[in-house]
Each structure stands twice: as structure tokens, then as C-alpha cells.
Amino acid sequence: MQTITVTTTPFMDQRPGTSGLRKRVTQFQQPHYLENFVQAIFDTKNDLNGGTLVVGGDGRYYNREAIQIIIRMAAANGVKRLLVGKGGILSTPAVSAIIRKYHTNGGIILSASHNPGGPDGDFGIKFNGDNGGPATEQVTEAIYARSKTVNRYLTTHAAAINLDHIGHSHIGDMAIEVIDPVHDYAELMQTIFDFDAIRHLIVDNGFRLCFDAMHAVTGPYAIDILEHRLGAPAGSVINSTPLEDFGGGHPDPNLVYAKTLVEAIFGNNPPDFGAASDGDGDRNMILGAHFFVTPSDSLAIMAANAHLIPGYASGLKGVARSMPTSCAVDRVASELRIPWYETPTGWKFFGNLLDSNQATLCGEESFGTSSAHVREKDGLWAVLFWLNILAARRTSVATIVKEHWQRFGRNFYTRHDYEAVDATAANELMHHVEQQLPALIGKELNGIMVSAADNFSYLDPVDKSCSERQGLRVIFSDGSRIIFRLSGTGTVGATLRIYIEKYESDSSRHHEDTQQILQPLIDTALTLSQLRQRIGREQPDVIT
Ligand code: G16
């Protein structure tokens, strides 16, 4: 094999966001753009030279081309063994599981997650380390620093690898294995959950489920696990073929974008259980007949019911949630007498807590939940967790949630997203809010006292690293919160997220409408931020 050194000049915009580098496909298609970033990974992670690497993606447009480029560069950079999913497909949690099972040195995942795909859509690349989790802040910064100085990349001439057949091949000294993308992941799920009980619920009790794969990566995983292994009738998984443009849809499992599923769940004769996952299979949305479970409640309910799941029957070490996630799980942790942790947004912040066995379950308001079984959030795992709870408790999703509220109280919660906002205006809005914070403490807003107000910073209890400026918080004496954050995953302008939460212990109010209950706090947020004047928007684009 002849190594070719290609001269290049750095791109200065390759700083990864909340989860890897995400840009328009057209930006990635510029000569050398992908190659520069991949070389920055190889130059930073020296253990890949002589090591094993996993590569796969969510099947979106440009996935196959990018994989061939990475395979040639891996060979030229001294990788000894490369595992790639058949068809170039590997979900994010499956990559994490494979890294851990085969003790590889890391993995490259090609995905822009829930962002739309296709020639005019988004593409993305992220690196996961040998624990199976997203690169830490330090590694991410080192890759970014290298991307600003990289002046050559290494590749080789080699015929394209046939990704559509499971098997072995070589480029020079590098062994390439095209693997079944589903097998290892499905086996792992079987070690955690009671498949017999779930199968009994579905096959013998007429329990009906609908899983929307949104034409994204989870289709093959859901067909194998839900239909083949657990006996759900054919057709229980909808939109199951991964498509390069996700069928023109937006592979974001929320009430707006998972339209077909939501219509079925809120229509006549709904299935007992509904769920959806996103582009790369790490997010989940959980629904019951005529019922939506917020991700924050889902995390709390999982924690409260974990003893029913074989994989967690011996108890949880602790739970962790991102700062904007509702405080519902904290109440469960207090009752279970286990520690709970509050981290910045981004799955990478859970890694140290999981590695050091201080947390078992983690979750985020952004439809992500998972546990120590991998180091990523895991959409289908969350679905199986709920199915296992339902199989054990033999009651409806709605009853499980309502009984949970009765026991722990209800954290009313909403997130309002303003997408593709002018970036300068969004930054000025954040600045405007931030400078008011010190003076708010001790004041009453809408009759409730502000007990704390700050820009959230996190001291990692394991490596003692400090992550600052992670979101503006206004916390009230009754536990209510207003949080302002700019998203780190958008690719156009800025996305402003406002998170609103209010705790209610009175069960006679638990059935009330979330938006109405939270309206006074929403109004306060709009006034504090002068949102309408500053960004010229009357309504949020997405409310969850
Ligand atoms: C990513 C991260 C999550 C984060 C989410 C939203 O998810 O992995 O940890 O909560 O983005 O981040 P932001 O609010 O900055 O847009 P995914 O599913 O997009 O990889």
C-alpha cells in the first residue's frame, strides 16, 4: 500500500458543538473538508495507529462516500483493524456497544442526529473514545485545535470496499470487517431485559405497539428486536427503511415531527404503546394511548421502576440529569437514598459518572435516556425499558405516569424552541438576560421570590474539570425554574431554547394543562428577555 500525503489548508470553523461537528452536506463536500477533520482525529488520538476503529453512520446522504474516505485514511494512518456496519449503518448506541464489547480504541460516527438529511440537509461526524462515549471536552478541544493547524492528510489509493456484504477484506496491513449492525446490540439488550415477559405481553395478551423509526437508522434494529425477537406483528414498526433523506422528514422524535405515530396514538383505537427514535437511534419518545410522556418524567419513572428490570434489579448507584432537565428524577433519587447529579447539556458530561460507577441511569430533556450498559443515550433501550415495566406492572402508560405523580408530585415542564434565529440577536438577548441576574436574587417576580440566578457551571466530581457558561438559570423559592440556553446542535443561525418548570404536589391539579399552568412563568421569561422585540418572533417554532 502506498501512503499518499495530500497538502491541505485548515478550515477555521471545525469546532464541534454539543455532539460532534455538524454542518450542511454541501460544506462537508468541499474538497478536503471531511479529510481535514478526520486527520485531526488521527493526529490527536495516536493510539488509533496500530489500533482498532469502528466506523458507521445513520445512513443519511453522503454516509457511504464519507465511510470510503475514512477507510482509506484509516489504512494510511496505521489503523490495524476496522469494523464497519453493513451498508455503512450503525446506530450511535450500537457503536458504543461495539467499542466496549470488542475493546476497540474508539469509533467514528457519521450523523447529524435529528437534523434533516439529503443533498441540502445536514451531515455530521463525531468521535467516541475507548469507553464507548463521546470524546471528552479535552479531546474535543484538542481535535479542534489540531483542525486549525492541519496542513496535510494521509490517504491511499484503494478500490471502494463493498459495504453491502458481511465479510473480511484488507487495505495494506489494515483488516476490514463488514459486520452485522444489529447483532451485538440486540444480544446486549437481551442481557438486560426480560424478553420472555415482554414477548408474553405482546403475543399472549394482545398488547399493541407502534414504533416509528422515521426512515432513520433504528428501522433494522426495531424490526429485529420488536418484531422478530419479541413477536410484535409485522407492521408494528413503521417507516422502517433507512433513507438518505429520511423520506423528506425531520428525524426528530417529538410531537411535531413524528406525525404518523402521533396521529395513531391520539386517534381512534390507538395502540397501547407508541415510541419513536431519531436519525442515529439515540433519542426516544414514549407515548401511551392518548398520552405523551415527557422525557424528564420518563427518566424519573424509569428510576422509580428500575427494580422491575433484571439488569437493574440490584439497585441504582445514582442518577444524573442535564441541568435543563426537570427535577422530577431528583425526588425519586431522594426517596431511593441514592445520589443525583446535575450536569451541563451534552451526553459527554455523563461519561465520568458512569465510568466511575457513581451513576447508573442518565437522562436529558432532549429525548435522551440511557444507562451504564453503553456510554451513549439509547433510543431502543428506553423503549425496551418501558415495555419491561409494562410487562411487569400490567397497567397502562397513562396509569403508570399518573400514579408516579401522585407519589412524587408533578414537575410541570415545557421547552420552547426558537429556531434559525439571527445569531447576533440571540447572543445579545442572552447577554441582556445575564446582566440582570445578580439583581434578581431576592426579588419577587409574579409573586414568587427568586432564590438563585446564575450562569450554570459544572465541576466534574471525577476529573475536577470545570465547564462554565452552560445556561442561564432563574430559580424560584418554590422550585420553579426558567432557563435560557443557546443550542449547540443547530446549523443555521442560532436556536434559542427556553425551559420552564414548576413543581405541583397537589394531585387535584395534576391533570391540568401544562402550557396554562406554566403561562405566568413563560410570560416572565418573555419579559425578562425582551424576546419579541429582540428576535422578532411571536411564537416558538417547537413546543415540547
Ligand atoms: C445532542 C447531545 C445531547 C443534547 C442534545 C441537544 O443530542 O448528545 O446531549 O441534549 O444534543 O443539545 P442542544 O440543546 O445543544 O441542541 P443528539 O441526539 O443531537 O446527538
Side-chain angles (χ1 to χ4, degrees), residues 59 74 159 162 186 290 407 469 478 525:
N162 184 346
H290 295 143
R407 183 170 159 205
R469 311 188 65 75
D478 67 348

Side-chain angles (χ1 to χ4, degrees), residues 330-345:
D330 310 2
R331 294 177 183 277
V332 178
S334 300
E335 193 169 307
L336 294 177
R337 297 176 184 279
I338 55 171
W340 58 269
Y341 303 88
E342 182 177 45
T343 62
T345 294

Side-chain angles (χ1 to χ4, degrees), residues 188 216 434:
L188 176 60
E434 186 167 9

Side-chain angles (χ1 to χ4, degrees), residues 438-484:
L440 288 180
I441 303 168
K443 275 210 174 133
E444 285 202 350
L445 291 178
N446 259 322
I448 316 171
M449 173 136 66
V450 175
S451 54
D454 63 5
N455 197 336
F456 178 63
S457 69
Y458 176 64
L459 179 67
D460 186 302
V462 179
D463 66 15
K464 307 294 176 205
S465 61
C466 186
S467 302
E468 293 178 325
R469 311 188 65 75
Q470 298 293 327
L472 306 177
R473 308 189 291 182
V474 180
I475 305 173
F476 295 84
S477 55
D478 67 348
S480 297
R481 299 191 303 163
I482 300 174
I483 293 150
F484 297 86

Side-chain angles (χ1 to χ4, degrees), residues 215-232:
H215 286 304
V217 80
T218 43
Y221 295 84
I223 295 266
D224 180 291
I225 295 173
L226 300 177
E227 294 191 1
H228 297 168
R229 294 180 194 235
L230 293 171

Side-chain angles (χ1 to χ4, degrees), residues 418-424 426-427 486-487 490 492-496 537:
Y418 295 84
E419 295 177 346
V421 171
D422 176 73
T424 309
N427 282 309
L486 293 182
S487 157
V492 182
T495 294
L496 172 68
R537 298 282 179 89

Side-chain angles (χ1 to χ4, degrees), residues 18-19 22 112-114 126 278 280 282-283 345-348 364-366 376-377 415 485-490 497 499:
T18 309
S19 180
R22 287 185 195 171
S113 188
H114 54 289
K126 50 187 178 173
D278 68 331
D280 60 331
D282 57 2
R283 295 186 176 207
T345 294
W347 204 263
K348 57 187 167 229
E364 297 187 278
E365 48 66 39
S366 55
E376 282 281 3
K377 52 192 194 275
R415 185 179 101 184
R485 240 191 102 245
L486 293 182
S487 157
T489 55
R497 305 201 195 285
Y499 314 79

